[in-house]
Amino acid sequence: MSSTIQRIGVFTSGGDAPGMNAAIRAVVRTGIFHKKEVFGITRGYEGMIEGDFVKLGARSVGNILQRGGTILKTARSDEFKTAEGRKQAYDQLRKEGIDALIAIGGDGTFTGLHKLYLEYQLPSLCIPGTIDNDIAGTDYTIGFDTATNTAVEAIDKIRDTALSHNRLFFIEVMGRNSGYIALYSGIAGGAGAIIIPESETSFDKVYELLTAGEITNKRSNLVVIAEGSKIGGANEIARKVAERTDYFDIKVTILGHLQRGGTPTYFDRVLASKLGVAAVEGLMNGKTDAMVGVRDNKIVYNLFDSVMNRPHEIDMDMLRIAKILSI
Ligand code: ATP
């Protein structure tokens, strides 16, 4: 593994996700293992523009593996979307001698990195870190597993209180335009119906399904709705059902940001560790302008053009499974 890279800059950007710290730790320690210097860039592209860099040692990333959030903080930077902002960022990186970058974030982060690469040819790789699991080219993003487990735990608790007759709960989970968290937490939580943006459905179809539940005389019914639902969010759907029937005692819970926090699961820690090592070693092997991911449990490097602006396909058979199991 021969490489001219000496100083790697690592940063987190966009929405935070549990497991980002494990990825930072992996990048720092792998860099040091291969005799590179690693600098943390705080607050994503904002810190890059301001030259907010801190040299990280193996010990400075101790005791963060199990912590949610990101020790480097994250931010959204409008300035970086401009050519002048990126020039300023590049000048700061040069001043510090940083000659390669590893970003941990979502598609916006990757887009910014790609632009910087096109303009300045700085070797750079992106690690997918977002709870939404909405990035093509990787089976899982860091944080998705933890967020889904958090949603399942919440659904289980709601079910405990829902066991009085005819109670109907609408639970809205995160995911932006992706239905991954809703689909997986819905199946794991035994939802009576799951509404995700990827499936073609209508309010009438959902209503039909719910009133069929009336016939089966379930003691309670839970509907999990992705925040990106095309037929409205939990509040709207609940309101429409209430307008048509007074059969149910309807409750709505929007899980919101609690899904972003918490201790990362073993799965996210292992994923973050693998991707962190692969990112550093990929850079050293000449990979650039790409996102490191896992496909069928193997590390892959996806060029920007091969994954951006493409949906992360969802296995629609999972919806069928959910339907069969909800009778
Ligand atoms: P998440 O999926 O968790 O929201 P993300 O990485 O997609 O994460 P964004 O807010 O979309 O989050 O992007 C993070 C940052 O990346 C932005 O604040 C901006 O600085 C940079 N970025 C996003 N889009 C672009 C773009 N088109 N050009 C340059 N930089 C961009």
Side-chain angles (χ1 to χ4, degrees), residues 13-15 45 75-77 80-81 86 105-109 111-112 115 130 132 176:
S13 165
Y45 292 122
R76 302 196 197 264
S77 164
F80 195 81
K81 291 184 178 169
R86 292 193 294 276
D107 52 358
T109 301
T111 303
K115 287 193 177 172
T130 165
D132 304 332
R176 287 216 297 201

Side-chain angles (χ1 to χ4, degrees), residues 169-217:
F169 264 89
F170 289 97
I171 304 164
E172 186 175 304
V173 300
M174 278 186 156
R176 287 216 297 201
N177 297 319
S178 159
Y180 266 95
I181 296 178
L183 184 57
Y184 282 68
S185 67
I187 290 177
I194 301 170
I195 300 171
I196 59 172
E198 292 86 346
S199 83
E200 292 296 325
T201 191
S202 63
F203 173 75
D204 287 338
K205 272 195 199 155
V206 172
Y207 185 79
E208 217 173 275
L209 194 73
L210 293 176
T211 42
E214 223 176 280
I215 297 159
T216 59
N217 200 21

